[in-house]
Amino acid sequence: MAKKITKSQAKKAAKTAKKHPKIVIAIAVIVLIIVIAAVVLYIVKPDLYHKYLGIGDHNFDNNGVCTVCGYEKSETGQGNLEDIQEAELSIHFMELGNANAGDSTLIKCGDTEVLIDAGSKRNSTRTVKDYIDTYCTDGKLEYVIATHAHEDHIAALAGEEGKNNGVLYSYEIGTIITFAGHKTNSVVYRDFETAVTYAESRGAVRYTAKECWYEENGAEKQYYLDGDNQKISLNVLYQKYYDQTTSNENNYSVCTLLSQYINANTTYNYLFTGDLEKAGEESLAESNNLPQCKLFKGGHHGSSTSSNDVLLSKIRPENIAICTCAGTYEYADKPTAERPESVAKLNTFPTQEAIDRMSKYTQNIYVTTLGILNEEYATVRAESMNGNIVFYYKDGKLNLYCSNNDVILKDTDWFKENRTWTGV
């Protein structure tokens, strides 16, 4: 509630205005100029308000074009497996062959492939490589990004223990981009470093995200995936834990933005943040001019500590893909007498908290895998929820193909039994 101005305060203000009329007039003129300039700028360049200030909602006409800033809305089409091979750009969120949360994302643009992470366990190695082989026909991965040092993101890069059969051993590798800091010294991490050294011995170059951001030692912050066309770029974003230490391994995550130029008014953006948590997301949102995103890889497998409003309010995602095994207690405390099932299950991935925040922006949320539990809440097996989730651009449209089904999260049986929907 606004504070009421007393009569004495009003008289005092009036006396001040009479005593210094030129100052009052000058202030009024300055304010008027600012207001007029803002109005003129909005009329002439309204897109700046959307792009840089996030002010105002898009107002779409019958053709799906925003009458304010020219942004073109396009509904995601229903895709098919055959079209993916011919797509201009495709983004693949893989199932990993087990009942564990983990990330592995393949980006394909022509003959250029980018692999972001390869989890979730060492026994995922064959599943990951089989999937890569379907789309990488020349045996070369131009870019491999390891977002951070946790097993569920690097295990299949190193491969099965003692076998040296991971991704970094099995393909010609161009550029490896790794996290700038880490605190873990696990066996998997040490084997990952050995695998990186092997790839370097065969011609790969390694940069940290920090080197990319500052463009040091030959690293770049922007890499074009489509050669001389320069319409599709992979961009390393900044967040403060490239420069600072943290006790939270997840906050070292490398963050990248894939940008696809469509036309003078429209660029499609796709955001990948590894397992970045709240402090890292705050830095990411503050440090970068983040655009509206067609696609966001849901943070940290749908945990309650990621995909926070500070980030989502900037990127306003149209689609979200969560790489996880829904409903398992891998990273959540099982029910007890003090913590009944109705409470405990809310913290299994994807959590109720994360879904509540995501649901403010879109209902197009997809999840790779579902965990089947026994009566003791132990995971018995994994089944596909959406399965492998692929967004691809072909014939002027973004399409979605899922290897199992394309049912959005809120319409699945698992969701109806375990979560509630409060969003759009």
Side-chain angles (χ1 to χ4, degrees):
M1 181 182 292
K3 185 177 180 181
K4 187 176 181 180
I5 299 175
T6 64
K7 290 183 178 180
S8 61
Q9 289 174 325
K11 289 180 179 180
K12 186 175 181 181
K15 288 181 180 180
T16 301
K18 289 180 179 180
K19 189 175 182 180
H20 304 286
K22 292 183 178 180
I23 295 176
V24 174
I25 293 172
I27 293 174
V29 170
I30 291 172
V31 171
L32 181 60
I33 291 173
I34 292 173
V35 171
I36 293 173
V39 172
V40 171
L41 182 61
Y42 186 80
I43 295 172
V44 176
K45 295 289 291 182
D47 57 312
L48 295 179
Y49 283 78
H50 281 313
K51 185 174 181 180
Y52 296 109
L53 300 180
I55 295 175
D57 295 325
H58 292 296
N59 181 26
F60 294 107
D61 61 19
N62 292 333
N63 295 316
V65 178
C66 180
T67 58
V68 177
C69 70
Y71 175 82
E72 292 186 9
K73 179 182 180 181
S74 65
E75 298 296 334
T76 302
Q78 185 174 6
N80 62 77
L81 187 60
E82 291 72 25
D83 277 351
I84 297 174
Q85 293 282 8
E86 301 175 358
E88 179 180 339
L89 174 69
S90 58
I91 303 166
H92 309 244
F93 302 96
M94 301 180 209
E95 284 203 283
L96 300 174
N98 52 39
N100 302 97
D103 277 13
S104 193
T105 305
L106 180 69
I107 300 169
K108 182 174 178 62
C109 175
D111 291 329
T112 298
E113 285 85 27
V114 181
L115 183 68
I116 304 178
D117 290 329
S120 58
K121 299 290 183 181
R122 287 180 182 257
N123 64 12
S124 299
T125 300
R126 175 47 55 192
T127 300
V128 170
K129 292 200 304 182
D130 284 347
Y131 193 94
I132 292 172
D133 289 344
T134 303
Y135 296 96
C136 179
T137 57
D138 60 2
K140 181 176 182 179
L141 296 173
E142 279 73 15
Y143 302 94
V144 172
I145 301 173
T147 60
H148 62 293
H150 276 156
E151 176 186 30
D152 60 332
H153 291 253
I154 62 172
L157 293 175
E160 296 172 272
E161 191 168 3
K163 293 187 177 181
N164 295 344
N165 64 347
V167 169
L168 294 177
Y169 292 100
S170 304
Y171 301 89
E172 179 185 351
I173 308 296
T175 299
I176 303 172
I177 300 174
T178 62
F179 34 92
H182 73 94
K183 70 183 187 70
T184 188
N185 193 31
S186 65
V187 173
V188 173
Y189 168 72
R190 294 197 298 270
D191 287 350
F192 162 75
E193 287 292 342
T194 300
V196 170
T197 300
Y198 175 81
E200 288 178 304
S201 74
R202 298 178 63 209
V205 294
R206 177 186 185 173
Y207 303 121
T208 66
K210 179 178 179 179
E211 288 176 310
C212 289
W213 177 255
Y214 292 112
E215 298 190 321
E216 299 172 338
N217 304 318
E220 300 176 20
K221 67 175 64 173
Q222 182 177 61
Y223 295 93
Y224 284 102
L225 307 185
D226 58 342
D228 294 336
N229 290 331
Q230 296 194 351
K231 291 185 177 181
I232 300 176
S233 63
L234 182 71
N235 306 277
V236 178
L237 304 178
Y238 181 77
Q239 56 101 349
K240 68 181 181 182
Y241 294 109
Y242 297 166
D243 287 307
Q244 300 178 23
T245 59
T246 174
S247 60
N248 187 336
E249 190 82 61
N250 291 331
N251 273 332
Y252 284 122
S253 291
V254 180
C255 300
T256 51
L257 181 74
L258 181 66
S259 295
Q260 178 187 17
Y261 174 88
I262 304 299
N263 56 45
N265 293 321
T266 305
T267 297
Y268 285 178
N269 295 286
Y270 316 89
L271 181 64
F272 310 88
T273 61
D275 280 358
L276 201 66
E277 299 198 28
K278 187 174 183 180
E281 289 183 348
E282 289 173 347
S283 176
L284 182 68
E286 292 169 0
S287 303
N288 303 273
N289 178 28
L290 296 175
Q292 189 272 338
C293 290
K294 295 292 289 186
L295 173 64
F296 171 52
K297 186 200 74 67
H300 192 202
H301 319 293
S303 78
S304 62
T305 56
S306 295
S307 301
N308 291 284
D309 286 324
V310 66
L311 177 61
L312 295 179
S313 64
K314 293 282 187 179
I315 64 172
R316 292 166 289 147
E318 292 184 28
N319 301 282
I320 297 174
I322 303 176
C323 301
T324 197
C325 189
T328 70
Y329 285 89
E330 182 181 11
Y331 296 110
D333 294 329
K334 294 180 181 180
T336 63
E338 294 76 23
R339 188 189 307 105
E341 180 183 11
S342 60
V343 174
K345 70 180 181 181
L346 297 179
N347 287 320
T348 62
F349 293 168
T351 64
Q352 183 69 58
E353 288 183 58
I355 292 170
D356 286 345
R357 294 191 292 264
M358 295 175 183
S359 69
K360 298 175 186 177
Y361 302 93
T362 183
Q363 64 176 355
N364 299 329
I365 302 173
Y366 304 91
V367 173
T368 52
T369 310
L370 173 66
I372 306 301
L373 310 182
N374 62 21
E375 293 180 356
E376 286 74 39
Y377 306 105
T379 305
V380 177
R381 67 183 185 278
E383 292 185 356
S384 293
M385 185 170 278
N386 291 118
N388 298 310
I389 302 168
V390 185
F391 286 87
Y392 67 93
Y393 187 84
K394 184 178 184 291
D395 297 331
K397 190 171 186 178
L398 188 67
N399 301 280
L400 169 67
Y401 167 79
C402 297
S403 61
N404 188 41
N405 61 61
D406 58 4
V407 178
I408 58 177
L409 177 61
K410 77 180 187 70
D411 290 342
T412 63
D413 291 338
W414 177 84
F415 186 93
K416 293 173 183 177
E417 294 173 3
N418 296 279
R419 297 289 182 266
T420 58
W421 185 261
T422 59
V424 296

